[in-house]
Amino acid sequence: EAQVTQNPRYLITVTGKKLTVTCSQNMNHEYMSWYRQDPGLGLRQIYYSMNVEVTDKGDVPEGYKVSRKEKRNFPLILESPSPNQTSLYFCASRIEGGYNEQFFGPGTRLTVL
Amino acid sequence: DAKTTQPPSMDCAEGRAANLPCNHSTISGNEYVYWYRQIHSQGPQYIIHGLKNNETNEMASLIITEDRKSSTLILPHATLRDTAVYYCIVRVVVGTPLVFGKGTRLSVIA
C-alpha cells in the first residue's frame, strides 16, 4: 500500500531533550516536506526537500533540522525542543514535476513540557 | 502563489450537494487550482485539481469559471464522513510548495 509513515505518532518530552521524528514513504517520491499545524495558524511548512541531499527552508524553519540521505526518508530533528514547538506535525511527499497530488502522513502530536 | 479566499464555514444536509466556493482573483496563467481536505487532525487528503476545464473524479467535481478567478468544489451527495476542513490552493506545477490557507469548515448534518 502506498503510504507515508511517521513515528512516533504521539510524544511528550521535556525542554532541551533532543528528539527525531521519522518520516518514510514507499512511493519513490522525489519531493518530501514537513508541516506543523497549530490552532488558528493552520498548516505551515517547516522544511522541504526536492531530492536526495537537497533541502530548503519553508516558512517556519527555526528550531528544526532535516536531512535527506535516502530518497525514502526525511527525518525532522529538534535539537533542543522548546514549549513553542508543541504542535501537530505532518510529513508529506509527492512526485516532483507535473501536477501530482501530495500524500500526507498520519501526523505526530508533540508536546514539549 | 496566488492567494485564495474561502468562507470560514458552511453547513450541508446529508445527501444534498455541498458546493464550496473559492475566490482566486489574482491567479496567473500557469497556476493550477487544487482542493484538499482534512478530517479532524488527520493528514490532509487530495481531492481534485484543474487548470481551466471542469474536472470530475470519484470524490468530487471542480467547476472553474471561464476567467479562472473563482472555482467551486462540488460534493454531489454529502455524507457525514465528508465533514472536514476543505482547502482551496493555487500553485504553479513545478518546484513550489502547497501553501494552505484557513479553508472552509464543512459540517454535514443528518
Side-chain angles (χ1 to χ4, degrees), chain A residues 36-109:
Chain A
R36 62 177 289 175
Q37 186 170 33
D38 304 289
L41 297 175
L43 283 149
R44 295 177 292 167
Q45 192 179 49
I46 304 170
Y47 268 96
Y48 65 97
S49 169
M50 303 278 279
N51 214 325
V52 175
E53 302 292 359
V54 179
T55 62
D56 268 304
K57 296 178 181 179
D59 296 322
V60 288
E62 296 77 19
Y64 304 95
K65 285 175 58 177
V66 293
S67 69
R68 188 89 183 275
K69 295 185 171 59
E70 307 164 280
K71 200 171 188 180
R72 64 182 294 127
N73 296 323
F74 190 46
L76 180 70
I77 303 156
L78 286 72
E79 295 266 0
S80 183
S82 63
N84 65 12
Q85 292 178 299
T86 291
S87 188
L88 179 58
Y89 292 87
F90 291 102
C91 180
S93 74
R94 69 170 189 249
I95 296 171
E96 188 47 36
Y99 37 76
N100 299 287
E101 68 179 278
Q102 189 153 296
F103 293 81
F104 285 81
T108 294
R109 190 168 291 280

Side-chain angles (χ1 to χ4, degrees), chain A residues 35 37 94 96 98-99 102, chain B residues 36 38 91 93 95-96 98:
Chain A
Y35 291 81
Q37 186 170 33
R94 69 170 189 249
E96 188 47 36
Y99 37 76
Q102 189 153 296
Chain B
Y36 281 74
Q38 186 176 24
R91 65 179 280 267
V93 165
T96 59
L98 277 178

Side-chain angles (χ1 to χ4, degrees), chain B residues 30-92:
Chain B
N30 62 346
E31 287 183 312
Y32 281 71
V33 179
Y34 288 78
W35 283 83
Y36 281 74
R37 73 180 182 183
Q38 186 176 24
I39 298 172
H40 184 61
S41 296
Q42 296 179 20
Q45 175 190 24
Y46 166 85
I47 302 172
I48 199 166
H49 73 273
L51 182 64
K52 294 182 193 176
N53 300 322
N54 299 337
E55 302 287 345
T56 295
N57 63 20
E58 65 278 3
M59 287 183 70
S61 294
L62 174 60
I63 308 297
I64 303 174
T65 58
E66 195 168 337
D67 63 7
R68 301 211 323 125
K69 293 185 177 182
S70 66
S71 60
T72 301
L73 178 75
I74 301 171
L75 308 178
H77 305 287
T79 71
L80 298 177
R81 286 176 293 183
D82 292 321
T83 292
V85 178
Y86 287 77
Y87 298 97
C88 170
I89 301 166
V90 294
R91 65 179 280 267
V92 296

